[in-house]
Amino acid sequence: MKTIVIIENETVQLNALVTLFKQWQKKINIITATREQAAISIISKQQVDLVVCDLAIPSSFSLADFSLLTRTFPQVPCITLSEQQGPQPEQLIEYGASHCLLKPLDTDYLLDCAHEILEGSLTGTTEGIPVHSFLQMLESEGQTCTLEVTTLKDRGLLYIKNGELIGAETKSIRGEEAAHLILAWPETRLRLRHFNGQYQRQITKDLLSIIIESFELSSELAQKKAGITTGRHQLPLQHATTRGKEFPVEIGARIKIVFFDLEKEVESSLVGLVKDNSVIVENPIPETDLQHQIHGRRVMVKFVYKGRMWMFKSQLIGVTTSPAPLLFFEYPEAIHFHELRKAKRSSIFIPSTFHLEGEKELFGMLIDMSLTGSLCQIKHNNLQNVPVIDIDSTVVLRCLLPGISEEQKLYGKVKNMKIEQGETRIGVEFESLQPQLTDTIGKYLYSLDQASG
């Protein structure tokens, strides 16, 4: 149920507004307040989807009060009511208003504005998508919004303006530290909310740097909890255009659809694709749930294809019941994906030495690498010269990594080995990888992905 807070201290006007909204929609929770401090107290304690405030009567709610409200809650959209001689719409928009209405009030237009905010907004929840993935998706699309992140014990807000992460806050901290902590939270629920722009930039680093730093924090937290070093992180979300390319899915594939406004995730099947026009799927929910507000209803679509988790945001553009119940979604301009492997391997060519304890050092090459390990290639003349290597043997790799001028030691364990004529390939899983090496390898692998994409 949506919640509206009405700020009005004139009894007749207040009763008229409450009656108007109750007659418009029965399933709306309406809360009234006479001053900004009362409204701030209400919004601090519960979810509020819209504020309607009357600025026409100077004694009830001043421009300074309104500014305090929008700066305190930049994620809550506000509709203002004012008179010709009062604050002008341009000024109110600058102070964070979503819509500015002048008196005498056009009630139909007020309800249209409320409908646009309550039903056509991004508000909704989703689970199962990492916070950093969602942020990168918003960055690629140049979105402006607030990403609310909740866990069983905490709640955080990430402010995004034109795709850039400009601020973050939890109950007790703000800025980069808050962003690092939020991105490190496990088992989160995400809610896309409004952003009115009334938030001073606190974060100046690029998103990738913030994500990698949060990976390090997550690793530290895991070490403290389990007493071990993990270093197993998902590589950054990657993006691909759909223009002029095959859509990465097969007809009949199972998909998941997140309806933001219904706060519901359902399973369905892909029925067809009309290139650059629409994505067609079976309708998995009763028609009555979708018969209102068809156009513009926002969704997230997720599916697995060829070892990757793919996802894209879209909006519902049509519903049919005959000859079959179908949903038509807008064809996305871009699609995003994660490798389902714990860490994607990238082809490289880095000279390295391979040293087993108690054995002489061998010379070879690192021919692929991930955040969790690497594949080492050692050349030899014949099978008699093949080194004796046991699985789970401790090994030290020495090499020069991109971006670091000094030779580095990478410690690990042998996890697999393949002997062929003239060479031996050894899979090594890293252990006790230092944070600066995780950072360097992560950025290097990401740059390789970008260059190849």
Side-chain angles (χ1 to χ4, degrees):
M1 180 180 290
K2 304 291 185 179
T3 297
I4 299 177
V5 172
I6 300 176
I7 306 173
E8 171 67 78
N9 75 342
E10 207 285 317
T11 303
V12 174
Q13 294 283 353
L14 178 61
N15 290 337
L17 287 171
V18 171
T19 301
L20 177 68
F21 279 106
K22 283 188 174 180
Q23 289 178 345
W24 175 53
Q25 285 193 25
K26 303 297 183 183
K27 294 183 178 180
I28 285 184
N29 180 31
I30 299 177
I31 304 174
T32 61
T34 58
R35 298 188 60 83
E36 83 285 349
Q37 289 299 335
I40 288 175
S41 177
I42 291 168
I43 301 172
S44 298
K45 296 175 182 177
Q46 67 180 86
Q47 173 75 34
V48 172
D49 301 287
L50 172 64
V51 170
V52 178
C53 59
D54 190 349
L55 294 171
I57 304 175
S59 61
S60 67
F61 203 72
S62 68
L63 188 58
D65 295 332
F66 178 69
S67 178
L68 175 63
L69 177 67
T70 56
R71 284 186 286 107
T72 306
F73 303 105
Q75 75 277 16
V76 180
C78 297
I79 296 176
T80 62
L81 313 179
S82 63
E83 294 178 334
Q84 291 288 350
Q85 63 270 30
Q88 294 304 297
E90 296 81 7
Q91 187 179 21
L92 293 172
I93 293 294
E94 184 178 341
Y95 274 76
S98 300
H99 295 279
C100 309
L101 281 66
L102 295 176
K103 292 187 174 182
L105 191 61
D106 182 339
T107 56
D108 289 336
Y109 182 54
L110 171 59
L111 295 179
D112 285 343
C113 293
H115 177 80
E116 177 187 338
I117 290 172
L118 295 178
E119 302 300 330
S121 69
L122 289 173
T123 302
T125 58
T126 185
E127 300 179 56
I129 300 177
V131 180
H132 66 87
S133 298
F134 223 108
L135 282 176
Q136 289 176 287
M137 196 180 307
L138 297 173
E139 180 185 49
S140 71
E141 297 174 355
Q143 291 275 7
T144 295
C145 60
T146 301
L147 182 60
E148 181 182 76
V149 184
T150 57
T151 66
L152 292 177
K153 298 181 179 180
D154 215 333
R155 170 180 175 270
L157 296 173
L158 299 167
Y159 298 104
I160 300 98
K161 187 173 184 179
N162 298 325
E164 294 185 52
L165 178 63
I166 66 168
E169 59 183 50
T170 65
K171 295 176 182 178
S172 57
I173 58 176
R174 297 163 68 95
E176 287 184 13
E177 184 181 357
H180 294 154
L181 183 61
I182 293 170
L183 266 71
W185 285 345
E187 299 180 9
T188 57
R189 297 186 73 210
L190 308 181
R191 177 185 291 271
L192 276 169
R193 303 190 63 185
H194 176 77
F195 179 47
N196 62 17
Q198 303 300 300
Y199 198 90
Q200 187 174 2
R201 178 183 284 272
Q202 298 173 332
I203 297 175
T204 57
K205 289 183 180 178
D206 64 273
L207 181 58
L208 182 59
S209 297
I210 294 291
I211 289 172
I212 291 177
E213 289 167 1
S214 74
F215 281 169
E216 295 172 5
L217 174 61
S218 180
S219 179
E220 291 173 6
L221 294 175
Q223 290 178 43
K224 290 179 182 179
K225 183 177 180 180
I228 59 174
T229 301
T230 59
R232 291 178 177 269
H233 300 305
Q234 195 172 35
L235 290 174
L237 188 73
Q238 299 180 69
H239 318 284
T241 181
T242 60
R243 294 177 181 175
K245 295 185 178 180
E246 291 294 324
F247 203 85
V249 67
E250 296 175 350
I251 303 301
R254 297 297 296 171
I255 64 173
K256 290 186 177 181
I257 308 170
V258 179
F259 287 88
F260 289 122
D261 59 330
L262 298 178
E263 300 192 6
K264 179 185 294 186
E265 179 175 298
V266 296
E267 290 193 3
S268 182
S269 295
L270 181 72
V271 174
L273 295 165
V274 181
K275 191 173 181 181
D276 297 326
N277 181 276
S278 58
V279 177
I280 310 167
V281 305
E282 293 180 352
N283 186 354
I285 57 182
E287 181 190 358
T288 52
D289 287 352
L290 296 175
Q291 63 183 1
H292 302 295
Q293 178 60 28
I294 292 177
H295 291 276
R297 174 165 266 144
R298 298 176 185 273
V299 298
M300 169 78 71
V301 178
K302 302 183 290 183
F303 57 90
V304 175
Y305 181 69
K306 290 188 176 180
R308 291 173 170 173
M309 169 63 77
W310 297 83
M311 61 190 82
F312 64 88
K313 287 195 299 178
S314 184
Q315 60 183 5
L316 185 63
I317 57 176
V319 178
T320 65
T321 57
S322 179
L326 301 175
L327 302 178
F328 295 77
F329 295 111
E330 187 176 63
Y331 200 86
E333 292 185 359
I335 194 165
H336 319 272
F337 65 90
H338 269 305
E339 300 293 337
L340 288 181
R341 293 180 61 177
K342 292 181 178 178
K344 179 188 175 183
R345 293 188 178 276
S346 296
S347 297
I348 59 174
F349 190 77
I350 299 177
S352 171
T353 63
F354 182 94
H355 185 212
L356 290 166
E357 186 176 358
E359 300 290 339
K360 68 176 183 177
E361 201 166 54
L362 302 171
F363 294 91
M365 293 284 179
L366 301 183
I367 58 176
D368 78 15
M369 181 178 284
S370 74
L371 283 173
T372 62
S374 186
L375 182 62
C376 185
Q377 179 189 63
I378 299 174
K379 296 287 187 178
H380 45 76
N381 295 328
N382 51 59
L383 292 179
Q384 283 73 33
N385 294 327
V386 174
V388 178
I389 301 171
D390 296 324
I391 301 299
D392 286 331
S393 299
T394 299
V395 65
V396 179
L397 303 175
R398 291 195 305 160
C399 61
L400 283 172
L401 292 173
I404 300 180
S405 58
E406 297 180 354
E407 187 178 67
Q408 300 297 313
K409 290 184 179 180
L410 305 178
Y411 297 89
K413 284 188 177 295
V414 175
K415 289 301 177 183
N416 57 72
M417 184 172 62
K418 184 177 182 180
I419 302 175
E420 297 179 344
Q421 187 68 36
E423 69 176 36
T424 298
R425 296 191 174 196
I426 307 164
V428 176
E429 183 180 71
F430 294 143
E431 290 189 330
S432 304
L433 201 61
Q434 296 299 312
Q436 69 270 18
L437 291 180
T438 301
D439 189 356
T440 298
I441 293 173
K443 288 183 176 179
Y444 174 55
L445 295 177
Y446 186 68
S447 68
L448 290 178
D449 281 340
Q450 295 297 95
S452 61

